[in-house]
Amino acid sequence: MSSETIKSSYVTSVSYRFVLKWILKGKELKKPSKDMANASVIRSDLYLFKAAKDLRFYLEIDKSHYYYYIRIKGSQMWSFELAYAFLVNKETAFKLEASSNQLSFLSSCQYSNISDEEDVQIHYLVIADLDNRSSSEEYDLEEDDLSLKEDQNTVDIEGRPDIALPGYYTNKMVIDFIRRGDIPNFDISNAIEIISEMKKHNCEVLKILSVQYLMQNITSKSVRQISRAAINYNLPVLERACLEKIANGTIETK
């Protein structure tokens, strides 16, 4: 979590960034509980940041569609943005929220992508901005329901320290992803660079994103570079993807 305060002679704006991870079983996403009032929806815990007035929010996943849809709900005096959300299952990532163009290389998550017994990780970045309307102004939007539901807990994220990284962590893309949740502006070279340094930096989620980016960008110009990286860094799935595109004649020429 990080915060930023921007001041001028007219406006004071307070903004907080929360880099969070939600872990649940695949069957919770695939098989709605019969005990739930709305079985198509699953909620995360309710996050509470006590350092700011009435800053509360949770995530909600709608399971009623073929694709999963995720949204954020929170207290009325704050404006919330779900900058991105993606799901990691085994060694594959899928997007849950398309607001970030930097994750456009990920496929949307479907029911068939999830195994019942596997742990599923949902990684997301929430940006909360203080609503600058005065207390005398009326709010047009209806207040979100922030009451705790069954099996929903309150998670206090007050005072979580900034993540301390070892001194040998030198790659700025990796550091910014871990500390701020920033998705790198991927290209072929920096995706391979991130993968090559994973033994030192130990950030498996970013490695998965890097591999996914390479798999979606195998072209006639990049196939040799990507296949060499797949062999050098023991990535058999990526190597097989290169070979299949060549064998099937589906490789792009851009």
Side-chain angles (χ1 to χ4, degrees), residues 22-89:
W22 178 13
I23 301 177
L24 61 164
K25 287 290 185 183
K27 62 184 177 182
E28 295 180 67
L29 281 174
K30 294 185 69 175
K31 299 176 181 178
S33 171
K34 295 180 180 179
D35 298 329
M36 295 174 61
N38 186 351
S40 68
V41 173
I42 182 170
R43 284 185 174 188
S44 72
D45 288 329
L46 178 67
Y47 294 97
L48 172 64
F49 185 56
K50 290 184 177 179
K53 183 179 179 181
D54 196 31
L55 204 171
R56 298 173 294 154
F57 63 90
Y58 64 87
L59 260 64
E60 191 172 79
I61 299 177
D62 190 338
K63 302 181 290 183
S64 63
H65 305 295
Y66 185 62
Y67 294 99
Y68 293 99
Y69 178 77
I70 190 167
R71 53 185 167 264
I72 186 169
K73 293 190 175 183
S75 42
Q76 195 175 51
M77 68 180 297
W78 291 85
S79 173
F80 295 94
E81 176 191 354
L82 184 59
Y84 64 75
F86 62 91
L87 178 150
V88 174
N89 185 32

Side-chain angles (χ1 to χ4, degrees), residues 111-122:
Y111 285 14
S112 58
N113 299 133
I114 298 173
S115 172
D116 285 3
E117 299 306 320
E118 294 289 340
D119 283 343
V120 173
Q121 300 178 10
I122 298 175

Side-chain angles (χ1 to χ4, degrees), residues 108-161:
S108 296
C109 186
Q110 304 178 31
Y111 285 14
S112 58
N113 299 133
I114 298 173
S115 172
D116 285 3
E117 299 306 320
E118 294 289 340
D119 283 343
V120 173
Q121 300 178 10
I122 298 175
H123 298 263
Y124 55 102
L125 172 62
V126 173
I127 300 174
D129 294 300
L130 184 63
D131 196 315
N132 287 316
R133 286 175 290 187
S134 67
S135 58
S136 61
E137 291 183 89
E138 293 186 1
Y139 289 85
D140 296 329
L141 298 177
E142 183 179 348
E143 176 79 359
D144 287 329
D145 179 12
L146 299 180
S147 60
L148 285 178
K149 304 302 181 184
E150 186 177 356
D151 297 328
Q152 189 182 27
N153 300 308
T154 299
V155 177
D156 181 5
I157 52 178
E158 179 183 8
R160 286 190 176 181

Side-chain angles (χ1 to χ4, degrees), residues 91-103:
E91 295 185 357
T92 308
F94 302 94
K95 64 184 177 184
L96 290 170
E97 175 64 33
S99 60
S100 173
N101 290 330
Q102 290 173 294
L103 290 176

Side-chain angles (χ1 to χ4, degrees), residues 84 86 93 100-106 171-174 176-177 181-196 198 203-217 226 254:
Y84 64 75
F86 62 91
S100 173
N101 290 330
Q102 290 173 294
L103 290 176
S104 60
F105 58 89
L106 295 182
N171 189 307
K172 189 175 186 301
M173 293 180 291
V174 178
D176 287 348
F177 178 77
D182 291 345
I183 303 294
N185 187 17
F186 282 116
D187 58 36
I188 302 297
S189 295
N190 66 26
I192 293 175
E193 177 188 345
I194 289 170
I195 293 169
S196 71
M198 275 301 106
C203 183
E204 186 65 22
V205 173
L206 189 54
K207 175 185 175 182
I208 290 171
L209 291 179
S210 300
V211 172
Q212 293 284 112
Y213 175 83
L214 293 177
M215 290 186 69
Q216 294 300 317
N217 286 275
I226 293 175
K254 63 180 180 180

